[in-house]
Amino acid sequence: MNQAVFELYSDQIRKCPLFHGMKDKDIFPVLSSEGARVTEFQSGMLLDSNVLYVVLQGCIVIEKQASDGRYVTMGRAVPPAAVNAAAVFLQEEPLSRMLTQERSTLLRVDAESLRKAIHSNGVFAMNMTEFLAGRIRFLNRKITSLAGYSASSRLHMYLEENNVNGQVVIPMSMTDFAEFLGVGRASLYRTLDQMQSEGKIERSGRTIRIL
């Protein structure tokens, strides 16, 4: 990334957790390699699995393929989120796929550029460590939630993970959604009705607004 491009997007880049507490003069050397660049993507484009992305504008959807071949939405990333921070270093086949949900502006950084940044900048290295620790904590909470028998805990975790501006759109039928969560369809509806009666959500079809 050259200086002119960096200056154009520096305000958005600075908001990403990976660059927390860093000034522009410290961030630019991290992103000055050829492996770091800002790219415009049209909606529905499949993203590389060996690249870290920072969402500057738009939205990335993370999907996982179910046993029947369908792709199920696991999460959405909006500015200033960083996506694929750990998987960028893995050699195995990706466990999920990433697509742009709308026209998006993304900062893409390859593994070699990240390695150089971690070695050369202590603040960036600490930010990266804290970011990955946060992802581990989040995944542990998710495993704990899904390992239990409570439809409520599983639904709460899904809503928390997929909340975009206070709203979650279920990307499948409610029958398939109940199966995805590993709960009964009746239990799912009871939980939704209870959350709505308690004033926690408003539901219209497959769209849930979090109150």
Side-chain angles (χ1 to χ4, degrees), residues 66 72 187 190:
V72 179
S187 296
R190 280 197 302 270

Side-chain angles (χ1 to χ4, degrees), residues 187-198:
S187 296
L188 173 61
Y189 275 107
R190 280 197 302 270
T191 302
L192 287 168
D193 289 343
Q194 181 178 348
M195 291 179 68
Q196 186 157 319
S197 67
E198 292 173 351

Side-chain angles (χ1 to χ4, degrees), residues 96-142:
S96 57
R97 71 177 187 179
M98 302 174 292
L99 304 96
T100 50
Q101 188 178 39
E102 56 191 71
R103 184 180 178 86
S104 302
T105 303
L106 309 177
L107 167 62
R108 59 190 316 276
V109 187
D110 65 15
E112 184 59 28
S113 298
L114 283 176
R115 289 190 182 94
K116 290 179 179 178
I118 291 170
H119 280 99
S120 64
N121 191 297
V123 177
F124 179 80
M126 181 58 67
N127 286 346
M128 188 75 167
T129 301
E130 291 179 351
F131 179 82
L132 293 176
R135 295 304 300 166
I136 292 172
R137 182 172 62 249
F138 169 78
L139 292 173
N140 279 338
R141 288 176 56 205
K142 185 172 183 179

Side-chain angles (χ1 to χ4, degrees), residues 58-59 76 78-79 102 162-168 208-210:
C59 179
R76 291 179 175 83
V78 297
E102 56 191 71
N162 293 276
N163 179 7
V164 177
N165 297 325
Q167 182 172 289
V168 176
I208 299 174
R209 190 163 71 89
I210 299 173

Side-chain angles (χ1 to χ4, degrees), residues 1-13 24 28:
M1 182 190 301
N2 61 42
Q3 183 74 43
V5 173
F6 174 74
E7 290 178 357
L8 185 62
Y9 293 101
S10 61
D11 287 345
Q12 295 100 309
I13 291 172
D24 287 1
F28 177 68

Side-chain angles (χ1 to χ4, degrees), residues 62-66 70-75 158 171-172 180:
I62 299 94
E63 298 181 336
K64 185 173 179 61
Q65 191 170 25
R70 294 178 298 114
Y71 278 94
V72 179
T73 299
M74 303 298 292
Y158 183 89
M172 62 194 85
F180 170 74

